Amino acid sequence: MPSPDHQPARALVWADRDDAAPPLFGLPPAERLARTLKKAGLGDTPIQTSTSSDATVSERLTETLATATGPVIALEEGAATDPRLIPALTRTEGTLVARTEEGAALRLMPGTTLPPATTLPELADALAAAGTRQLSQNDFDGFIGVLRRDLPFWILRPRDAAAARQAERWMFLSNYKGSTDILTSHVFPPLVWPLTRWSARYGLSPNAVTIVSILFTVLAAVFFWQGQLAAGLAAAYAMAVLDSVDGKLARVTLADSALGNVLDHGLDIVHPPFWWLAWAHGAALLGGPGWLWPAAWIMIGFYIADRLVLMVAKQRFGRGLHAMTALDGRVRSFISRRNINLLILTVGLMIGLETLAFALVVGWQAATCLWHTLRTAMLYPLGRAAA
C-alpha cells in the first residue's frame, strides 16, 4: 500500500460555464453537473468553473493546467453529460478525448500543450487531429443492466428552449428498458412523459411518486378483495403508470437513491401475489367457482418459481435473461407479468368472463415459468459467454 506521501493526485473538474444554457427537467446546469459527478462517484471532487471573458477555452484551461497537481476533467457546464462517461475519464491514463455530435469531455494532464480553440468541442477536435487518444463507442461498455439495453455514451448541449425540449424527450426515451411489456412500451408513454416532466418541474421526488404508487397498490388490493373489480383495475393501472414515472424521474433528474431502489423494486416483486389472491376472493364473492382460491395459490407458486429461475439466470449470465438474445427481449413484451395479467383480466371483465380470464392468467404464469426454465437450461452451459 502506498504511503500517504505517495497517494495518486486528486482529479479536478473544470467546467466551462454558460449562464445562457437552459435547464433540463428543472435542473440548472450547475446543479445537473453536481448531480452527474455524485452519480459517477465523484461527489466530493472540487469543481472549478471558468467563465469566458476575452480568453479562449484553451487559454483558460492552460492556466488551470499550470497549477494542477493531477488530471483535469474538462466538461461543459451547459451540457448534460452522461454520468457513465466520468469514470471512463478518471480511470484511464494520460490525456483522453470523448466527443459526441453535440459536445465533448476531456481528460487533460498537467503541462499539456493545448492548441488554440474557442470552445471545448473545438479543442477536442483539435486534440484529436493532433493524435490525442480518443474514447470510441466501441471501447465503451454501454450495457445498462437495470435497463437491459446498450446505450452509447452521450453529451447533449441544447442551445435554446426548443432544443432543451428535444433533449428532455431523448433522455426520457433513452431510459426505457430495452425489453419490457407492450403496455409499458406502447400504451403508457403518452401518460408517463407529461407526468415525468410535471414532477421534475415542480420538484417532486421519485420517492414521493413511489409512495403514491404504493397507496394505489394497496387500494387496488382492497377493491379486488371487496369484489369491486373495475375499481381495482383502475387503481392498478394508476399504480402501473406511476411505477414507470418514478424510475424515469429518478434517472432524468439523477435523483435515484438506495431507498428509492428498495421501495420501487421491492414493490414490484411483492405486490402481485396479493393482487391475485384479492382478485380470486373478490370474484368468488360475485359468485365465482370454488376453485378460484386454490388457483390463486397455484399462481403464486409459479410466480415465485419464475422469480427464482430469473435470479439463477442473472447470476449465471451476469445480466437478466431478457437481455440475452433478441428472442428473449421480444418474449418479454408479452410474458406473464403484472401489466400483461392486468390486460387479460381487463378484457375478461369487459366481456363478463372474469373467471375464465383468471384461469388464463394462472395458465400463462405457468407457461412463462416453464419457458424461462427452458431458456435458462439452454443457455446455462455457456455461462457469461452467452451474453
Side-chain angles (χ1 to χ4, degrees):
M1 179 180 294
S3 67
D5 294 335
H6 295 85
Q7 293 294 330
R10 191 180 187 188
L12 168 70
V13 173
W14 182 94
D16 189 17
R17 185 174 177 181
D18 184 355
D19 294 327
L24 293 173
F25 287 105
L27 293 180
E31 175 65 19
R32 175 167 288 278
L33 176 60
R35 293 192 185 189
T36 297
L37 295 176
K38 182 178 180 181
K39 186 172 180 62
L42 299 178
D44 59 347
T45 300
I47 303 175
Q48 177 181 320
T49 57
S50 179
T51 304
S52 175
S53 53
D54 294 330
T56 66
V57 161
S58 295
E59 292 168 341
R60 287 179 281 132
L61 260 175
T62 296
E63 292 180 2
T64 298
L65 292 172
T67 59
T69 59
V72 174
I73 309 301
L75 306 171
E76 294 180 277
E77 186 185 71
T81 301
D82 189 341
R84 301 173 302 157
L85 189 55
I86 308 301
L89 295 173
T90 58
R91 296 172 185 169
T92 189
E93 297 289 338
T95 301
L96 183 65
V97 172
R99 185 73 162 93
T100 69
E101 183 177 348
E102 294 190 33
L106 308 174
R107 173 192 166 94
L108 302 171
M109 300 304 296
T112 301
T113 300
L114 302 180
T118 303
T119 66
L120 204 64
E122 289 179 4
L123 178 57
D125 292 339
L127 286 170
T132 301
R133 184 165 54 102
Q134 299 185 68
L135 177 65
S136 72
Q137 296 289 1
N138 292 333
D139 296 329
F140 180 78
D141 183 7
F143 182 73
I144 305 176
V146 69
L147 297 180
R148 298 191 292 269
R149 66 179 296 184
D150 287 286
L151 185 69
F153 68 78
W154 48 269
I155 302 173
L156 303 177
R157 180 59 178 88
R159 303 291 176 178
D160 51 37
R165 170 81 176 214
Q166 291 181 341
E168 289 178 341
R169 182 69 174 175
W170 183 90
M171 294 169 69
F172 170 78
L173 293 175
S174 71
N175 278 292
Y176 266 90
K177 294 179 178 177
S179 58
T180 189
D181 63 88
I182 55 176
L183 291 182
T184 298
S185 60
H186 292 88
V187 178
F188 293 164
L191 295 173
V192 176
W193 164 240
L195 285 173
T196 300
R197 294 190 75 243
W198 181 88
S199 299
R201 180 182 303 169
Y202 291 101
L204 198 62
S205 72
N207 287 352
V209 176
T210 301
I211 290 173
V212 175
S213 72
I214 291 174
L215 296 178
F216 276 113
T217 303
V218 175
L219 190 61
V222 171
F223 281 139
F224 287 153
W225 186 267
Q226 295 175 343
Q228 301 181 56
L229 303 183
L233 286 171
Y237 281 117
M239 176 272 177
V241 170
L242 292 179
D243 184 48
S244 190
V245 171
D246 60 7
K248 305 297 181 299
L249 179 63
R251 287 187 282 272
V252 300
T253 61
L254 302 169
D256 47 336
S257 64
L259 175 61
N261 287 331
V262 170
L263 288 175
D264 187 27
H265 297 297
L267 177 64
D268 286 344
I269 294 173
V270 171
H271 80 272
F274 293 97
W275 278 7
W276 313 142
L277 285 172
W279 180 282
H281 181 271
L285 289 179
L286 298 176
W291 55 259
L292 282 169
W293 189 252
W297 284 106
I298 293 173
M299 170 80 175
I300 293 172
F302 277 113
Y303 173 81
I304 294 174
D306 188 41
R307 285 287 181 174
L308 291 175
V309 169
L310 293 176
M311 287 175 58
V312 170
K314 188 171 185 178
Q315 183 177 16
R316 176 64 173 172
F317 308 131
R319 61 174 62 188
L321 180 61
H322 301 117
M324 295 299 295
T325 70
L327 171 63
D328 297 302
R330 287 194 295 269
V331 169
R332 176 63 179 82
S333 66
F334 57 83
I335 59 170
S336 177
R337 295 299 287 265
R338 178 196 63 211
N339 291 346
I340 296 300
N341 292 336
L342 286 177
L343 181 59
I344 294 173
L345 293 176
T346 300
V347 174
L349 184 63
M350 291 175 62
I351 62 178
L353 296 174
E354 58 271 18
T355 298
L356 176 60
F358 189 72
L360 290 175
V361 165
V362 176
W364 196 230
Q365 179 64 74
T368 295
C369 180
L370 293 174
W371 168 256
H372 287 156
T373 301
L374 175 63
R375 287 295 294 164
T376 300
M378 291 172 61
L379 297 173
Y380 197 85
L382 301 176
R384 291 179 183 267

